[in-house]
Amino acid sequence: DIQMTQSPSSLSASVGDRVTITCRASQTINSYLNWYQQKPGRAPKLLISVASSLQSGVPLRFSGSGSGTDFTLTISSLQPEDFATYYCQQSNSPPYTFGQGTKVEIK
Amino acid sequence: EVQLVESGGGLVKPGGSLRLSCAASGFTLSGYSMNWVRQAPGKGLEWVSSISGGSTYIHYADSVKGRFTIFRDNAENSLYLQMNSLRAEDTAVYYCARGTATMTNNCFDPWGQGILVTVSS
């Protein structure tokens, strides 16, 4: 099975900060990497698919990059509504494993 | 509007069974793979199971293999998860989520609101 490792597990940042979250796969997954945002008490929401494809309606401050085993989610200028937990997920092959999550908190 | 609504959760004793349902609307169910993902209290997301549009391909997490069965009724626009031999560690919010047409790059969008399953004596 492919293991997904996110870092950091949590971070504190201020509004306007640039935030970067990384996700590493235990073996190559090509570009089959997706990013989700989850707010407390809510279902996850797909932000980015295939490593860098921004979903409709997702603000342009979100971007994704990477291929193979190393991937990055970047929020260029953190907004109050971005405080949430972010998960990566590999969709190269089942089991479709998730990273452990990165909680973005207000500094 | 694409919508997924789960039902069937609740409290069940260890060793018991429960069947979750997911009612889909706003799209043609047969054109998409469908998935179950769960989240234990205070924990991260765990993929549980996936089924292709025509039910040809089915996959399970090792943690539920042999105990859970995913199936679908495209005519009724519904997805199901039959859960048997339930354990305390199956306690979680269960989400259904739409996948992709071919299960290639099986990203999940959208998700239902989730339904709580509690396994406790």
Side-chain angles (χ1 to χ4, degrees):
Chain A
D1 296 356
I2 300 172
Q3 309 303 317
M4 305 301 294
T5 303
Q6 276 182 245
S7 61
S9 298
S10 65
L11 64 91
S12 295
S14 300
V15 172
D17 284 353
R18 181 182 182 89
V19 169
T20 299
I21 299 169
T22 63
C23 182
R24 174 165 288 176
S26 60
Q27 62 191 75
T28 183
I29 55 171
N30 301 295
S31 294
Y32 294 134
L33 189 284
N34 310 302
W35 290 99
Y36 300 86
Q37 177 193 64
Q38 186 180 32
K39 296 181 179 179
R42 304 289 298 275
K45 172 187 172 184
L46 179 65
L47 296 178
I48 290 170
S49 67
V50 208
S52 60
S53 180
L54 199 67
Q55 297 303 291
S56 175
V58 175
L60 294 177
R61 61 182 179 273
F62 289 92
S63 64
S65 65
S67 66
T69 61
D70 293 311
F71 301 87
T72 299
L73 172 69
T74 299
I75 309 172
S76 60
S77 177
L78 198 65
Q79 297 302 301
E81 59 268 32
D82 301 336
F83 292 95
T85 300
Y86 295 84
Y87 294 92
C88 63
Q89 176 230 353
Q90 67 84 14
S91 51
N92 185 72
S93 60
Y96 299 114
T97 39
F98 289 89
Q100 80 277 18
T102 296
K103 187 173 184 178
V104 177
E105 299 176 300
I106 301 172
K107 181 183 284 185
Chain B
E1 179 193 6
V2 174
Q3 194 171 14
L4 299 169
V5 179
E6 301 94 340
S7 60
L11 175 64
V12 61
K13 289 181 168 55
S17 297
L18 210 56
R19 177 178 293 182
L20 302 183
S21 301
C22 173
S25 60
F27 67 103
T28 302
L29 188 65
S30 61
Y32 293 86
S33 64
M34 294 296 294
N35 311 275
W36 290 99
V37 177
R38 68 184 181 183
Q39 187 170 36
K43 302 298 184 182
L45 301 172
E46 180 188 14
W47 170 79
V48 173
S49 183
S50 297
I51 184 170
S52 60
S55 301
T56 303
Y57 302 103
I58 291 175
H59 304 286
Y60 297 100
D62 285 346
S63 58
V64 307
K65 199 173 294 182
R67 300 187 299 121
F68 289 12
T69 301
I70 189 172
F71 61 102
R72 60 194 295 161
D73 185 336
N74 289 335
E76 293 294 324
N77 295 312
S78 292
L79 172 73
Y80 302 95
L81 186 68
Q82 177 67 41
M83 304 185 294
N84 298 332
S85 303
L86 282 161
R87 306 166 180 167
E89 54 265 35
D90 297 318
T91 295
V93 173
Y94 285 73
Y95 296 98
C96 70
R98 189 179 71 174
T100 53
T102 65
M103 291 185 93
T104 299
N105 182 36
N106 195 20
C107 59
F108 304 155
D109 179 52
W111 298 53
Q113 85 284 356
I115 192 81
L116 178 63
V117 172
T118 303
V119 184
S120 175
S121 54

